[in-house]
Amino acid sequence: MQKGQIGVTTENIFPVIKKFLYSDNEIFLRELVANAIDATQKLKTLASFGEFKGELGDMRVEVKVDKDAGTLTVTDHGIGMTADDVNKYINQIAFSGAEEFVNKYKDNANSIIGHFGLGFYSAFMVSKRVEIRTLSYKDGAEAVRWDCDGSPEYTMELCDKSTRGTEITLWIDDDNKEYLEQSRIDMLLKKYCRFLPVPVVSGKEQEWKDGKYEDTDRDKVINSTEPAWTRKPADLTDEDYRNFYHELYPGQEDPLFWIHLNVDYPFNLTGILYFPKIKSNLDIRKDRIQLYCNQVFVTDSVEGV
C-alpha cells in the first residue's frame, strides 16, 4: 500500500475546494460525468489510431445512487488509469490529463471535454470520502484503488477490479443528502448531461401500475447523444427542428423560424437559433440562449446576445 500527501501548495486546499471551487456545489456531478465521458472518448480515439485493439464493449457511463449506503457512484468503461496515472493526474492537483491528451491527438480529439484538471476534486464539495477503483486499458495493467477522506493524505493500493475503466464512489456528507435522492440526480443529469455524446444511465425506467409509478428492469438512459445542432442541416427536416425545439421548451408553440449556425472564425460555434412566437411583451425573455461546450451544459444566461 502506498501512502502520501497530495501535491498541493497548502494544506488548506480542501476547505477552499469544498467552499469555493465552484459557486454551486451541484456542478460536481457535471464534472465527474464529463471526466467519465472523456475517458470513454479517449479509448475510442486510441482504437481509431490502432493503439487499442481490444473490444470496446459497453461504453456507457453509469451513475448509481445507494441511499442506504450513503454513496453516489460514477462508472465508466473507458481508458482507465495505472498507478502512475493516478499519481500524475490525481495526486497532483490541477495537472490536466485531458490537456495532455488533446495536445497529443489534437487533430482527432475534439470531443475531449476537460482542460483544467480540477474537475475531479469537485467531488469533495459534497463528500466526506472519495474512492477511486480503476483498471487501465494497457496490457498487463494492475487495478488500483485510491482513497481520500478530504484531507491532503490518501492511500493507494492494488485491488481486485477486473473490468476496464474507472469507478468513483462518493460518500455524501451530512450537509448534502439531497444528492442521495434519485429524483435530484435525474434533474441534474438532465440539466447538465442531456446531450453528452456517450449514453449516460441512471436508475430504472418507470411504469404506472396499481395507481403508482414502479421501477422496471430497464435502465434509464438520460441523454440524447446526437442533438440537432451537431448534425448537418441537410440531414434534418423541418419536423426535426420543431421536435428539438419542443424538447428544449415543452409546451411552447412552434417557433416562427430558425437559423442553423456554423461559425469557425474568430471562434468555433455551432448551434440553432430559434425565433419564438411572441403574443405580448410579457412573453419576451432576453438572452434566452442555452450554451453548451462539447455538448456539456454551461449556462442559459448569456447576456448581450
Side-chain angles (χ1 to χ4, degrees), residues 38 42 89 96-103 112-116:
D38 279 353
K42 285 178 180 178
Y89 301 126
S96 176
E99 185 79 24
E100 183 182 51
F101 191 88
V102 167
N103 288 336
I112 305 303
I113 298 166
H115 289 277
F116 298 103

Side-chain angles (χ1 to χ4, degrees), residues 93-253:
I93 287 182
F95 186 103
S96 176
E99 185 79 24
E100 183 182 51
F101 191 88
V102 167
N103 288 336
K104 184 175 180 181
Y105 298 99
K106 58 185 177 182
D107 293 331
N108 292 274
N110 291 330
S111 58
I112 305 303
I113 298 166
H115 289 277
F116 298 103
L118 278 172
F120 163 73
Y121 279 91
S122 65
F124 288 96
M125 297 172 69
V126 300
S127 307
K128 56 189 175 184
R129 175 187 167 201
V130 177
E131 178 191 73
I132 301 173
R133 289 166 54 86
T134 184
L135 176 62
S136 172
Y137 76 97
K138 296 175 182 176
D139 291 338
E142 295 182 297
V144 177
R145 174 183 170 273
W146 180 94
D147 195 296
C148 182
D149 64 358
S151 71
E153 295 184 356
Y154 67 86
T155 60
M156 189 168 73
E157 60 187 344
L158 299 181
C159 69
D160 59 356
K161 180 175 171 58
S162 59
T163 55
R164 181 198 69 226
T166 299
E167 176 184 287
I168 299 177
T169 300
L170 285 61
W171 278 261
I172 303 298
D173 64 33
D174 293 339
D175 294 333
N176 292 285
K177 294 299 185 183
E178 64 185 283
Y179 299 118
L180 294 174
E181 300 293 337
Q182 185 67 52
S183 59
R184 175 67 166 142
I185 295 304
D186 287 349
M187 185 188 76
L188 292 179
L189 290 174
K190 276 293 185 184
K191 178 178 179 180
Y192 292 108
C193 307
R194 66 188 300 185
F195 299 123
L196 284 175
V198 173
V200 178
V201 172
S202 186
K204 298 292 184 180
E205 295 283 358
Q206 292 188 321
E207 291 181 350
W208 184 260
K209 187 177 181 181
D210 299 329
K212 62 180 181 179
Y213 283 104
E214 294 186 359
D215 287 347
T216 67
D217 58 358
R218 302 190 305 273
D219 291 335
K220 180 170 57 184
V221 179
I222 297 293
N223 55 323
S224 171
T225 58
E226 293 186 345
W229 83 79
T230 66
R231 299 165 61 188
K232 296 178 181 178
D235 296 334
L236 295 166
T237 66
D238 287 354
E239 191 64 21
D240 291 329
Y241 283 109
R242 292 190 189 99
N243 289 340
F244 185 62
Y245 178 77
H246 292 306
E247 184 180 349
L248 293 172
Y249 304 110
Q252 298 291 314
E253 289 189 61

